[in-house]
Protein backbone atom coordinates (compact mmCIF):
# COMPACT_ATOMS: atom_id res chain seq x y z
CA UNK A 1 0.00 0.00 0.00
CA UNK A 2 2.68 2.43 1.03
CA UNK A 3 4.82 1.47 -1.98
CA UNK A 4 1.93 2.06 -4.36
CA UNK A 5 1.32 5.47 -2.87
CA UNK A 6 4.97 6.42 -3.26
CA UNK A 7 5.12 5.17 -6.84
CA UNK A 8 2.01 7.15 -7.65
CA UNK A 9 3.52 10.28 -6.17
CA UNK A 10 6.93 10.26 -7.81
CA UNK A 11 5.92 10.69 -11.49
CA UNK A 12 3.62 13.58 -10.68
CA UNK A 13 6.39 15.38 -8.78
CA UNK A 14 8.94 14.64 -11.52
CA UNK A 15 6.57 16.22 -14.01
CA UNK A 16 6.32 19.34 -11.83
CA UNK A 17 7.48 22.40 -13.68
CA UNK A 18 10.01 24.89 -12.51
CA UNK A 19 8.12 27.64 -10.70
CA UNK A 20 9.53 31.16 -10.62
CA UNK A 21 7.39 32.34 -7.76
CA UNK A 22 8.71 30.08 -5.07
CA UNK A 23 12.46 30.33 -5.48
CA UNK A 24 14.79 31.90 -2.92
CA UNK A 25 18.02 33.57 -3.99
CA UNK A 26 18.95 34.99 -0.59
CA UNK A 27 17.82 34.96 3.07
CA UNK A 28 17.69 31.20 2.88
CA UNK A 29 15.96 29.14 5.49
CA UNK A 30 18.86 26.72 5.87
CA UNK A 31 16.84 24.21 7.92
CA UNK A 32 14.59 23.72 4.88
CA UNK A 33 17.42 22.65 2.58
CA UNK A 34 18.18 19.72 4.87
CA UNK A 35 17.76 16.18 3.60
CA UNK A 36 18.11 14.06 0.49
CA UNK A 37 19.38 15.57 -2.77
CA UNK A 38 20.44 13.90 -6.03
CA UNK A 39 22.94 15.22 -8.58
CA UNK A 40 21.06 16.23 -11.74
CA UNK A 41 23.23 18.72 -13.69
CA UNK A 42 26.77 19.99 -13.39
CA UNK A 43 28.76 22.51 -15.42
CA UNK A 44 32.38 23.56 -15.31
CA UNK A 45 34.94 25.54 -17.26
CA UNK A 46 37.16 22.47 -17.03
CA UNK A 47 35.17 19.47 -18.25
CA UNK A 48 37.94 17.02 -17.27
CA UNK A 49 37.01 17.56 -13.66
CA UNK A 50 33.30 16.69 -14.00
CA UNK A 51 33.41 14.08 -16.75
CA UNK A 52 33.93 10.39 -15.99
CA UNK A 53 36.73 9.95 -13.43
CA UNK A 54 36.77 13.69 -12.77
CA UNK A 55 37.57 14.60 -9.16
CA UNK A 56 34.60 17.00 -8.91
CA UNK A 57 32.03 14.64 -10.47
CA UNK A 58 30.04 13.87 -7.33
CA UNK A 59 26.77 12.08 -6.71
CA UNK A 60 25.02 13.90 -3.89
CA UNK A 61 23.07 12.09 -1.20
CA UNK A 62 22.39 14.45 1.69
CA UNK A 63 22.93 18.06 2.64
CA UNK A 64 22.58 19.06 6.28
CA UNK A 65 23.08 22.41 7.97
CA UNK A 66 24.84 21.95 11.32
CA UNK A 67 24.17 23.82 14.57
CA UNK A 68 27.38 25.83 14.29
CA UNK A 69 26.42 27.15 10.84
CA UNK A 70 28.57 24.71 8.87
CA UNK A 71 27.04 22.81 5.96
CA UNK A 72 27.57 19.06 5.67
CA UNK A 73 27.49 17.33 2.28
CA UNK A 74 27.38 13.54 1.94
CA UNK A 75 28.12 12.26 -1.54
CA UNK A 76 29.76 9.51 -3.56
CA UNK A 77 32.32 9.65 -6.27
CA UNK A 78 33.95 6.99 -8.40
CA UNK A 79 37.57 5.98 -8.09
CA UNK A 80 38.71 3.21 -10.45
CA UNK A 81 35.12 1.99 -10.75
CA UNK A 82 34.56 1.96 -7.00
CA UNK A 83 32.01 4.12 -5.19
CA UNK A 84 33.67 6.09 -2.43
CA UNK A 85 31.51 7.79 0.22
CA UNK A 86 32.64 11.27 1.25
CA UNK A 87 31.41 13.56 4.02
CA UNK A 88 32.49 17.14 3.50
CA UNK A 89 31.87 19.85 6.10
CA UNK A 90 31.94 23.39 4.71
CA UNK A 91 32.58 26.20 7.18
CA UNK A 92 30.35 29.26 7.11
CA UNK A 93 31.79 32.63 6.15
CA UNK A 94 30.66 36.14 7.03
CA UNK A 95 28.51 36.05 3.87
CA UNK A 96 25.22 34.24 4.40
CA UNK A 97 24.87 31.21 2.12
CA UNK A 98 28.60 31.15 1.42
CA UNK A 99 30.99 28.49 2.72
CA UNK A 100 34.60 27.41 2.41
CA UNK A 101 36.13 23.95 2.42
CA UNK A 102 39.37 22.22 1.55
CA UNK A 103 38.45 19.43 -0.88
CA UNK A 104 40.54 18.70 -3.98
CA UNK A 105 42.03 22.14 -3.33
CA UNK A 106 40.53 25.22 -1.71
CA UNK A 107 36.87 25.94 -2.38
CA UNK A 108 34.38 28.72 -2.00
CA UNK A 109 30.85 27.27 -2.09
CA UNK A 110 27.83 29.49 -2.67
CA UNK A 111 24.18 28.51 -2.43
CA UNK A 112 22.76 30.34 -5.44
CA UNK A 113 19.07 29.44 -5.34
CA UNK A 114 16.50 26.89 -4.21
CA UNK A 115 12.79 26.27 -3.94
CA UNK A 116 13.53 23.78 -1.08
CA UNK A 117 11.07 21.18 -2.34
CA UNK A 118 12.43 20.32 -5.81
CA UNK A 119 15.88 21.74 -6.56
CA UNK A 120 18.88 23.58 -5.22
CA UNK A 121 21.88 25.08 -7.04
CA UNK A 122 25.41 25.71 -5.84
CA UNK A 123 28.29 27.62 -7.37
CA UNK A 124 31.78 26.53 -6.45
CA UNK A 125 35.12 28.10 -7.10
CA UNK A 126 37.96 25.63 -6.72
CA UNK A 127 41.63 26.52 -6.57
CA UNK A 128 43.87 23.52 -7.00
CA UNK A 129 47.57 23.84 -7.50
CA UNK A 130 47.19 27.48 -8.53
CA UNK A 131 44.47 26.80 -11.13
CA UNK A 132 41.01 28.26 -10.65
CA UNK A 133 37.98 26.20 -11.78
CA UNK A 134 34.32 27.20 -11.68
CA UNK A 135 31.66 24.59 -11.10
CA UNK A 136 27.87 24.84 -10.95
CA UNK A 137 25.61 22.05 -9.75
CA UNK A 138 21.89 21.48 -9.62
CA UNK A 139 20.59 18.87 -7.19
CA UNK A 140 17.04 17.54 -7.07
CA UNK A 141 14.89 16.10 -4.33
CA UNK A 142 14.13 13.35 -6.85
CA UNK A 143 16.62 11.45 -9.04
CA UNK A 144 14.91 12.78 -12.21
CA UNK A 145 13.57 16.29 -12.89
CA UNK A 146 11.57 17.70 -15.80
CA UNK A 147 13.38 19.60 -18.58
CA UNK A 148 12.20 22.97 -17.26
CA UNK A 149 14.95 22.65 -14.64
CA UNK A 150 17.54 22.29 -17.39
CA UNK A 151 16.33 25.58 -18.89
CA UNK A 152 16.68 27.18 -15.50
CA UNK A 153 20.17 25.72 -15.08
CA UNK A 154 21.25 27.03 -18.51
CA UNK A 155 20.24 30.52 -17.33
CA UNK A 156 22.17 30.19 -14.10
CA UNK A 157 25.22 29.00 -16.06
CA UNK A 158 24.99 32.09 -18.29
CA UNK A 159 25.00 34.28 -15.20
CA UNK A 160 28.25 32.61 -14.13
CA UNK A 161 29.67 32.77 -17.68
CA UNK A 162 29.50 29.06 -18.39
CA UNK A 163 28.25 27.80 -21.76
CA UNK A 164 25.40 25.35 -22.21
CA UNK A 165 27.98 23.05 -23.89
CA UNK A 166 29.71 22.83 -20.51
CA UNK A 167 26.66 21.19 -18.91
CA UNK A 168 26.55 17.48 -18.18
CA UNK A 169 23.45 15.52 -17.22
CA UNK A 170 24.05 13.14 -14.32
CA UNK A 171 20.51 11.72 -14.34
CA UNK A 172 20.75 7.91 -14.29
CA UNK A 173 24.56 8.04 -14.30
CA UNK A 174 24.77 7.25 -10.61
CA UNK A 175 26.00 3.65 -10.32
CA UNK A 176 26.32 4.09 -6.55
CA UNK A 177 22.55 4.60 -6.28
CA UNK A 178 21.61 0.96 -5.53
CA UNK A 179 23.90 1.06 -2.49
CA UNK A 180 21.80 3.56 -0.58
C1 LIG B 1 41.62 20.69 -16.13
O1 LIG B 1 41.70 19.71 -15.13
C2 LIG B 1 42.69 18.73 -15.35
C3 LIG B 1 42.54 17.67 -14.27
O2 LIG B 1 42.63 18.23 -13.00
C4 LIG B 1 44.06 19.40 -15.37
O3 LIG B 1 45.07 18.44 -15.63
C5 LIG B 1 44.08 20.46 -16.45
O4 LIG B 1 45.29 21.18 -16.38
C6 LIG B 1 42.94 21.44 -16.26
N1 LIG B 1 42.86 22.35 -17.38
C7 LIG B 1 42.77 23.65 -17.24
C8 LIG B 1 42.66 24.45 -18.49
O5 LIG B 1 42.77 24.20 -16.13
C1 LIG C 1 31.00 22.66 13.13
O1 LIG C 1 30.64 21.35 13.52
C2 LIG C 1 31.19 20.32 12.69
C3 LIG C 1 30.64 18.99 13.17
O2 LIG C 1 30.69 18.86 14.55
C4 LIG C 1 32.71 20.36 12.73
O3 LIG C 1 33.25 19.37 11.87
C5 LIG C 1 33.16 21.74 12.26
O4 LIG C 1 34.57 21.83 12.35
C6 LIG C 1 32.52 22.82 13.12
N1 LIG C 1 32.88 24.12 12.58
C7 LIG C 1 33.28 25.12 13.35
C8 LIG C 1 33.64 26.39 12.65
O5 LIG C 1 33.36 25.03 14.56
C1 LIG D 1 51.09 21.58 -9.92
O1 LIG D 1 51.41 22.26 -11.10
C2 LIG D 1 52.79 22.13 -11.47
C3 LIG D 1 53.02 23.03 -12.67
O2 LIG D 1 51.97 22.99 -13.58
C4 LIG D 1 53.05 20.65 -11.77
O3 LIG D 1 54.41 20.49 -12.13
C5 LIG D 1 52.74 19.83 -10.53
O4 LIG D 1 52.90 18.45 -10.82
C6 LIG D 1 51.32 20.09 -10.06
N1 LIG D 1 51.08 19.41 -8.81
C7 LIG D 1 50.01 18.70 -8.56
C8 LIG D 1 49.89 18.13 -7.20
O5 LIG D 1 49.13 18.53 -9.40
Amino acid sequence: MVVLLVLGLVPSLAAAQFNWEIISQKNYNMAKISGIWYSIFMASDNMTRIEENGDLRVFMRNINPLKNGSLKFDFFFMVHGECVAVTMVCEKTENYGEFTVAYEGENRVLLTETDYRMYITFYMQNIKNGTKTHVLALYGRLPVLSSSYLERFVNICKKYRLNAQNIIDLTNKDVCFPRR
Side-chain angles (χ1 to χ4, degrees):
M1 193 57 177
V2 172
V3 172
L4 285 177
L5 280 175
V6 169
L7 287 177
L9 181 68
V10 169
S12 62
L13 274 176
Q17 295 291 302
F18 169 75
N19 182 348
W20 245 119
E21 273 147 40
I22 51 175
I23 65 170
S24 294
Q25 294 178 305
K26 57 181 179 185
N27 304 324
Y28 302 107
N29 179 345
M30 293 305 281
K32 281 173 69 182
I33 75 164
S34 184
I36 293 178
W37 291 102
Y38 300 96
S39 295
I40 307 286
F41 303 118
M42 284 189 91
S44 176
D45 54 358
N46 184 345
M47 298 308 283
T48 311
R49 303 195 64 185
I50 59 169
E51 274 166 355
E52 245 168 89
N53 301 314
D55 61 346
L56 298 179
R57 183 186 178 95
V58 306
F59 293 98
M60 198 53 63
R61 279 294 176 275
N62 267 284
I63 303 179
N64 294 107
L66 303 177
K67 284 198 188 79
N68 62 11
S70 296
L71 194 57
K72 183 164 77 80
F73 292 81
D74 291 294
F75 55 84
F76 282 89
F77 80 111
M78 298 286 293
V79 187
H80 307 304
E82 288 287 315
C83 295
V84 178
V86 177
T87 293
M88 175 175 98
V89 175
C90 301
E91 304 297 341
K92 69 171 180 184
T93 67
E94 65 274 19
N95 302 322
Y96 196 69
E98 188 176 325
F99 303 84
T100 56
V101 64
Y103 177 80
E104 299 293 344
E106 284 302 319
N107 302 282
R108 193 166 74 85
V109 177
L110 187 67
L111 200 182
T112 51
E113 64 180 58
T114 185
D115 65 355
Y116 305 108
R117 60 178 274 277
M118 287 301 286
Y119 82 105
I120 189 165
T121 60
F122 287 92
Y123 166 75
M124 189 172 94
Q125 184 184 291
N126 168 274
I127 300 175
K128 188 182 186 181
N129 199 17
T131 305
K132 199 183 271 186
T133 306
H134 305 278
V135 181
L136 279 163
L138 185 146
Y139 308 127
R141 288 288 191 193
L142 301 169
V144 179
L145 292 184
S146 80
S147 60
S148 58
Y149 293 88
L150 176 57
E151 285 165 36
R152 182 63 190 164
F153 191 61
V154 168
N155 278 320
I156 298 169
C157 287
K158 272 190 201 141
K159 199 160 117 188
Y160 287 88
R161 297 169 195 281
L162 288 178
N163 274 316
Q165 298 100 276
N166 294 34
I167 296 174
I168 56 165
D169 186 345
L170 292 173
T171 309
N172 299 325
K173 301 269 166 56
D174 185 353
V175 297
C176 309
F177 180 75
R179 299 190 181 200
R180 304 187 64 231

